[in-house]
Amino acid sequence: MAVFVLDKQKNPLMPCTEKRARLLLQRGRAVVVRLHPFIIRLKDRIGGETQPLRLSLDPGSKTTGIAVVREVERIDPDTGEVCRDAPVLWLAELAHRGTQIRERLAARCACRRRRRTANLRHRAPRFHNRTKPLGWLAPSLRHRLDTTLNWVQRLRRLAPITALSQELVRFDTQALQNPEISGVEYQHGELAGYEVREYLLEKWHRTCAYCGATQVPLEIEHIHPRSRGGSDRISNLTLACRPCNQRKGRQPIETFLARAPKRLAPIKAQAKAPLKDAAAVNTTRWALFQALTATELPVETVSGGRTKYNRTRLDIPKTHALDAVCVGTVNQVQDWNRPFNIQTPGGTVQGISHRYCQVLQRADGYGYAFQPKPTMEEARRAA
Ligand SMILES: [Zn+2]
C-alpha cells in the first residue's frame, strides 16, 4: 500500500512507497500526520509534479470497496489500441452500519409508541400532513451515502485525484439491448455474457429454477433446449444447478417437469416476465452518482457485469476493494498483491502502564482494521 504524502502547506502530492516514507521519516524530512490511513507531511517541499489518479468505488449494501489507482495509458504495440493499466496504490473497505441504524430506529419507534399509548392517549394525533422532502433517503441509506462521500472528500485531500469511477448498475441493460423487448441473441461477445449472467441471477433470485437450491454454482439453462430449436433469448434462459441441468439434458421442460406440474407454471411465467425494476439500480447508487458529479471531477459509471468480467479475466480474487479496482475500463491491474514482509512477534501484550503510552491518533468515528490479503486459493473458493 502506498503512503499518502502532503507538502509543507498540506496540499496532496503523489503517494509514495512505504520504503521511501520510512527513509523520509528517518532523515527528518517528514512527519507523520495520521496513522490510519498512513499520511506523512514533507517539511521542506511546496508543490510538486503529480500524475493522474483515479478513485474507484464499488458501492455495496454492507461494504463499499474503495481503490486509488494510478492511471496509465499505453498503446498496445500489436493492435495499436489504447490500453488502460491500473497500478494499485491504496485499497480500503468501508463497512456500513445500515442494519444497526435500522434496529436502533425501530427500537426508538417502539419506545415512542409505548409513551404515546401509555401517557398521551388523550392528545390528538398530529401525524397528518407530514411529507418527506424531495430526495429523502432512509437514515440507513443516507448513512451509507454520507460515509462514502466523506471518504471521497478525504481522499481528495490526501491524493491528487483527477477522476472517479463508480459501479452504477448491477448489469448494463444497454449491453443487453433490452433483451425482453427486442430479444436479441445474447452472444454478442464475452462481456455481454457476463451481463446476461448477472441479469439472470437477479431475475431468478440466485436459485436453481428446478429444485430451488441456493448457494450452489448455477449454470445458464435453456428452458426450451437449443437442440430443439430453442433460442438464446433472455426469456428462454434460466438458472439451474449442475445436477438439474444434467438431468434435464435435451428434454423439453414439459417432459422434464411432467411429474411436478406445480413447478412448471411459475417457471414459465417468470421466464416471460421482465425484471421488475428494469434498471435494477438501488437508490443509494444513484444518489451517490449525483453527489459525485457535483465534485466536478469526471465520473465514469459502469455496470457490475463489467467489473466481474474484468476480475475474472485478470484473475483477481473477489474482495470489495479489489472489485473497486476492476470497476471501469481496465486492461491490466498491477501491484495489488505486493508481498508485505513485516514480522511481528504476534499475540497480545498486556499489562502496560498508561505512562508508557501516548496518544497517536484521536477517534474520528471510524474503527480501523488491517485486512489480511486473501490467498489465491481462499479467494477462488469464496468466488
Ligand atoms: Zn437444481
Side-chain angles (χ1 to χ4, degrees):
M1 294 268 256
V3 173
F4 293 113
V5 185
L6 303 177
D7 74 357
K8 198 178 173 184
Q9 293 174 338
K10 299 181 185 174
N11 294 317
L13 294 173
M14 276 307 277
C16 71
T17 58
E18 285 161 350
K19 182 181 177 185
R20 196 175 161 76
R22 200 157 52 233
L23 291 175
L24 284 167
L25 289 168
Q26 266 168 11
R27 290 174 191 153
R29 283 191 56 203
V31 285
V32 177
V33 179
R34 274 180 73 93
L35 294 172
H36 301 293
F38 201 74
I39 309 165
I40 59 170
R41 186 174 42 143
L42 294 180
K43 294 201 277 188
D44 55 1
R45 187 138 156 223
I46 295 174
E49 288 279 301
T50 57
Q51 292 162 318
L53 297 185
R54 178 173 288 275
L55 173 62
S56 310
L57 298 168
D58 172 27
S61 62
K62 293 204 181 89
T63 316
T64 291
I66 305 174
V68 178
V69 299
R70 205 148 52 81
E71 272 202 296
V72 183
E73 282 191 353
R74 65 181 165 84
I75 292 166
D76 195 311
D78 301 329
T79 56
E81 283 175 31
V82 180
C83 293
R84 218 156 88 181
D85 292 356
V88 176
L89 293 181
W90 192 77
L91 295 172
E93 288 183 5
L94 180 59
H96 299 305
R97 296 182 301 132
T99 330
Q100 272 163 277
I101 291 176
R102 217 179 130 248
E103 279 166 9
R104 297 285 283 274
L105 285 177
R108 187 182 74 178
C109 177
C111 290
R112 288 183 172 176
R113 184 151 298 277
R114 190 206 66 83
R115 240 176 284 153
R116 166 101 198 145
T117 48
N119 311 332
L120 303 166
R121 281 179 322 257
H122 51 276
R123 194 175 286 178
R126 42 164 212 162
F127 49 74
H128 303 303
N129 212 6
R130 291 186 192 181
T131 50
K132 300 230 157 60
L134 198 68
W136 178 89
L137 286 175
S140 54
L141 305 182
R142 164 64 51 192
H143 140 88
R144 206 185 289 166
L145 178 68
D146 286 350
T147 45
T148 312
L149 279 178
N150 176 242
W151 275 95
V152 171
Q153 279 159 8
R154 274 180 183 211
L155 289 168
R156 283 188 68 195
R157 286 200 299 268
L158 300 179
I161 285 161
T162 51
L164 305 171
S165 289
Q166 186 210 344
E167 189 181 297
L168 189 60
V169 286
R170 294 283 270 288
F171 36 80
D172 187 352
T173 35
Q174 289 301 312
L176 292 168
Q177 302 216 343
N178 210 346
E180 304 292 357
I181 296 167
S182 59
V184 192
E185 306 272 297
Y186 76 87
Q187 278 151 343
H188 288 298
E190 228 178 321
L191 175 61
Y194 276 86
E195 303 289 355
V196 166
R197 222 186 124 71
E198 287 297 298
Y199 186 90
L200 288 174
L201 284 170
E202 193 76 20
K203 181 171 170 179
W204 294 92
H205 311 297
R206 291 166 199 272
T207 51
C208 168
Y210 301 129
C211 69
T214 52
Q215 307 282 331
V216 290
L218 295 169
E219 297 173 346
I220 293 181
E221 223 282 312
H222 289 76
I223 295 174
H224 186 55
R226 280 184 66 167
S227 56
R228 291 170 188 264
S231 76
D232 281 338
R233 289 177 184 191
I234 291 272
S235 54
N236 189 37
L237 297 176
T238 182
L239 292 169
C241 63
R242 179 156 271 264
C244 287
N245 200 352
Q246 283 183 337
R247 246 185 303 126
K248 180 166 179 282
R250 298 182 45 199
Q251 302 172 58
I253 186 165
E254 289 81 5
T255 330
F256 178 62
L257 290 178
R259 282 195 214 151
K262 272 190 186 163
R263 277 195 176 274
L264 181 64
I267 292 177
K268 277 191 159 175
Q270 174 79 330
K272 287 278 181 290
L275 197 59
K276 274 280 158 30
D277 45 348
V281 195
N282 71 43
T283 355
T284 32
R285 288 187 172 199
W286 274 105
L288 180 63
F289 171 65
Q290 277 159 4
L292 289 180
T293 39
T295 59
E296 293 179 359
L297 291 177
V299 184
E300 178 195 43
T301 58
V302 278
S303 71
R306 181 178 275 278
T307 308
K308 199 167 177 184
Y309 165 68
N310 282 339
R311 180 156 52 74
T312 319
R313 187 171 45 96
L314 301 171
D315 200 14
I316 291 175
K318 172 161 179 55
T319 69
H320 294 280
L322 287 170
D323 258 5
V325 177
C326 297
V327 165
T329 325
V330 178
N331 296 84
Q332 213 178 338
V333 172
Q334 296 154 355
D335 300 341
W336 59 270
N337 57 354
R338 205 183 271 175
F340 188 68
N341 291 332
I342 294 177
Q343 302 295 325
T344 54
T348 330
V349 186
Q350 288 185 342
I352 298 174
S353 164
H354 71 277
R355 278 175 295 160
Y356 302 110
C357 303
Q358 57 173 321
V359 176
L360 292 175
Q361 183 169 311
R362 301 258 173 218
D364 65 347
Y366 291 96
Y368 296 88
F370 285 110
Q371 223 173 28
K373 288 214 172 69
T375 61
M376 290 304 282
E377 275 168 42
E378 273 172 11
R380 277 216 194 93
R381 236 176 290 138

